[in-house]
Amino acid sequence: MERPAWAPQGIDISVPSVSRIYDYYLGGSHNFEVDREAARKAMEFLPGLPKIMQANRAFMRRAVRYAVQEGITQFLDIGSGIPTFGNAHEVAQAADPEARVVYVDHDPVAVAHSRAVLDGNERAAVVAADLRKPRGVLAAPEVGELLDLDKPVALLLVAVLHFVEDADDPQAAVAELRDALAPGSLLIVTHAAYEGIPVPAARAAGTVDVYKNIRNPLIMRSRDEIARFFEGYEMVEPGLVQMPEWRPENAPADEDPYAFSGYAGVGRKA
């Protein structure tokens, strides 16, 4: 397999990547055939996966605009993935040019592309770090340089927690990040769940098996389990809901049924 110029040296391009699979669902070009093959297998069970990802991104954009409206202009986006149109920094800086954004990902491809996209943007940066090690995230120089943690920050954990297994204690990681944030900070989350998927759970489980087979387990949690990530936060109306139902710009009834797969919510630290 020929290595394209954009692929960082040192990564195994014969192994599927969650970030590149996500990029493929969104119609991006920074993915390999091995990623597309895994995505197509997953779509055999859930053909609406691209619609789910589009709904996920649409929620993220609405939540970022809400944060700016609430006076928050600092964003920490962990598990940010490969940059696509309408990224957090584009949305935030369109609403307030002074907004500052730090992206965090452990995928070398996502980090390399984020750096390329952000070149010349003095109010945005990317960190190579892992949600499962929050101290490493918080200690990153870019976080210290761009964000003032003594003031409210919007913490984005969008489509990332469902890739952290219970054995890695995502609850503790989220709590450690919460404790580092100032009162008034926001937690912005989306998470996969069997609830809302317009096919039987047994069929959706086929997609879960695809991710398990590529050694990136997809953990489907219940609404109650997802709600636990918001401990220490007061939920912003309308609470933890399916993605199209969170402060929609268009009538949710007009959305594709697959867009209602999983949950989204925003919480405010007291």
Side-chain angles (χ1 to χ4, degrees), residues 35-95:
D35 306 306
R36 296 188 285 273
E37 181 180 356
R40 288 191 290 265
K41 286 181 180 177
M43 289 170 64
E44 289 176 8
F45 302 98
L46 292 177
L49 277 166
K51 292 293 184 182
I52 297 174
M53 307 312 163
Q54 291 165 17
N56 186 79
R57 298 289 295 183
F59 160 77
M60 180 275 291
R61 292 191 287 268
R62 295 197 304 276
V64 167
R65 285 193 289 267
Y66 168 80
V68 176
Q69 289 167 7
E70 292 294 299
I72 296 178
T73 57
Q74 303 187 104
F75 296 84
L76 180 59
D77 186 350
I78 303 179
S80 50
I82 294 172
T84 57
F85 177 75
N87 255 30
H89 76 281
E90 294 177 339
V91 178
Q93 291 175 351

Side-chain angles (χ1 to χ4, degrees), residues 96-120:
D96 186 335
E98 300 296 307
R100 288 164 287 166
V101 180
V102 176
Y103 293 111
V104 180
D105 209 289
H106 63 50
D107 184 327
V109 173
V111 172
H113 278 281
S114 296
R115 285 183 177 141
V117 167
L118 300 175
D119 185 37

Side-chain angles (χ1 to χ4, degrees), residues 205-220:
T207 290
V208 174
D209 288 340
V210 170
Y211 281 91
K212 182 178 179 180
N213 290 339
I214 66 171
R215 299 183 180 180
N216 281 285
L218 174 60
I219 312 301
M220 306 291 265

